[in-house]
Structures are given as C-alpha cells and as structure tokens.
Amino acid sequence: DADLFLNYQVSQFGQGEYLVVVRDVSRVQKLEQMRKDFIGNVSHELRTPLTVVRGYLETMSDNSDSLPPVWQKAIGQMESQSKRMTLLIEDLLTLTRLETEDTDYKQTDVDVTALLNLIKTDATGLSGEDGHQVVVDIQHPITLKGVYEELRSCLSNLAFNAIRYSPPGSDIILRARITDEEAIIEVQDHGIGIDAHHIPRLTERFYRVEKSRSLDTGGTGLGLAIVKHVLAHHQGQLRIESRINQGSTFACVFPISRIVDSTASSLPGTE
Ligand code: ADP
C-alpha cells in the first residue's frame, strides 16, 4: 500500500528476547503532506492578485506628483509592504519546493569560487554605497556536487543576513576551505551576534531573536529554514558560532565526498 507509513522501534531484553513496536504513522504523514500542499497552493494563489495590486500601485506611484503628500506617503508604504509580501510568498514557495521536490536529478558540478563571487556582487548591491566590505576568501578552491540554484539561495540568505545584522562599513567574509573530512563554505560577519540560547531554534520558520528589530530589516523569517533544507539535500549541516556584539559565522559543512575531483594531492596534509 503506497499510502501506508510504518515506524518501528526494536529493543532487546536480555538474551535473545526482543520487543518490536510497530506504529502506523500514515495519518501523521498524510496530514503533514496536506499541510505542505496547502501552504504551496495558497502561496501560489496569492501570487497573481498581488502582482495585479503591485502593478496598480506602481502606476499610482509614477503619477503621484500632483497628489497631497499624505497620499504619496500612503502609496509608498503600500508599495513597500506589498514588496515584502511578495518576498514572503517567494520564500514560502521555495520552502515548499525544497520540502516536496526530489531535486537530486538537478545536481551538477558547482564552482564555489564563481558562486561566492556572484553572491559578493549581490550582497554588495544590497548593502549599497558606503556599505559593507564583502570579501571572498578562497583558502581552497572547491567544486561541489550539488543543485546550483539551491546552493545559491542558501548562500545568498546567509550573506544577506550578515548584511542585515552587522553595521555598515564592517567586513563580511565569504570563505571556502576544507579539512580532512569536510568541505566548508562559511559566511562571517562582525555584527550584533546572537545569544547562545537562541542558536538551536534559529532554523525554525519565523523564529526571530528580536521580533521588532528583525521586522525592520526586510527579512521574511524563512531564510535559515531554507538554508537548513538546502543543506539536508546535500548531506550538509549548518554550524553557527556567534558572540554578542562581536559577530557570527554561519558555516555550511559538507562531507568531503561531495567535492568533485578531490584528488588526494589537493587535500591538505598530503602536499
Ligand atoms: P530573517 O528574515 O528574520 O533574517 P532568518 O531565518 O534568516 O530570518 O533568520 C532568523 C533570525 O536569526 C533573524 O531574525 C535574526 O534574529 C537571526 N540572525 C540570522 N542571521 C544573523 C546574523 N548574521 N547575525 C545576527 N543574527 C542573525
């Protein structure tokens, strides 16, 4: 039966005696699937009306010179809020896709240096003039077997967070390095930092360290949830190190087997 999901647990009692508990979790699985489908469908359905509203707002904004200032202000607010809603819907759709689609077939060889340079350009653009110093630090060139769009979205989210949560003028480092067992791509900032007790919960949807402040930064609250899913698709994990007022490092850690053509001579300790 394709719809039957079973969970089992085996415990051993003394010599040769076992207890096997089998649970039918089909209902839980089905509800979970319905939840994912629902979020995906709602997000999709919201996209069209929102595009129409944004279109009209843009027209109004282009012709607002003759309107009273209070109207101009209202139109500006509506534009920025509808833009935020669009970002939220896009992130919800990305998350649904990550949860439901099997993207293994989309794996290619991803040149991490080129990808980090691209992220640097995007992040510098977001930061604006007199903004952050975004630096790419390739300690070891890496070509990773993975889904390009997913990895791009994962690293963009980390880089954009680094910008949002650190002061203008500070350094942001996009680094690639390897150890004997791991390929690491990390984003380091010298920003506000995160208190240790928040760290285990950061990848939950809509979890925010400080709600009011985070809402002003333009994030959707879904960035790190997306990062977590992308890494799970790549047998990777997220490691977070952070100190209040000193900064944070978000490291995407992959097993070394994910590196393409990792000939022995290119690994550390073998030169
Ligand atoms: P958001 O869209 O709110 O940034 P995320 O899922 O990307 O949502 O991040 C969750 C929360 O983690 C943020 O609201 C913020 O409080 C905290 N956070 C993420 N990245 C950083 C960082 N580089 N420095 C400090 N806090 C961060």
Side-chain angles (χ1 to χ4, degrees), residues 91 157-158 160-166 187 189 191-194 201-211 213-215 217-227 242 247-250:
D91 275 0
N157 273 304
L158 294 179
F160 289 1
N161 276 349
I163 289 190
R164 287 193 195 109
Y165 303 107
S166 65
V187 178
D189 68 52
I192 61 174
I194 307 156
R201 297 196 58 192
L202 286 186
T203 56
E204 289 174 20
R205 288 155 210 241
F206 300 116
Y207 186 83
R208 274 145 164 181
V209 170
E210 212 180 295
K211 245 194 152 73
R213 187 170 50 180
S214 299
L215 285 180
T217 62
T220 61
L222 294 171
L224 292 180
I226 291 175
V227 167
S242 190
S248 316
T249 302
F250 285 75

Side-chain angles (χ1 to χ4, degrees), residues 178-184 255-257 267-270:
I178 62 174
T179 68
D180 285 344
E181 286 117 37
E182 296 166 340
I184 302 171
I256 207 90
S257 53
L267 294 174
T270 55

Side-chain angles (χ1 to χ4, degrees), residues 116 119 123 126 150-166 172-175 185-189 194 202-203 222-228 230-231 237-240 248-254:
L116 289 183
I119 306 277
L126 179 77
E150 289 190 7
L151 291 171
R152 181 176 176 175
S153 154
C154 165
L155 294 166
S156 293
N157 273 304
L158 294 179
F160 289 1
N161 276 349
I163 289 190
R164 287 193 195 109
Y165 303 107
S166 65
I172 288 166
I173 302 157
L174 311 175
R175 187 179 297 116
I185 311 173
E186 60 194 5
V187 178
Q188 182 178 12
D189 68 52
I194 307 156
L202 286 186
T203 56
L222 294 171
L224 292 180
I226 291 175
V227 167
K228 185 177 98 173
V230 170
L231 293 180
Q237 44 168 307
L238 183 65
R239 255 181 235 154
I240 307 170
S248 316
T249 302
F250 285 75
C252 305
V253 183
F254 304 91

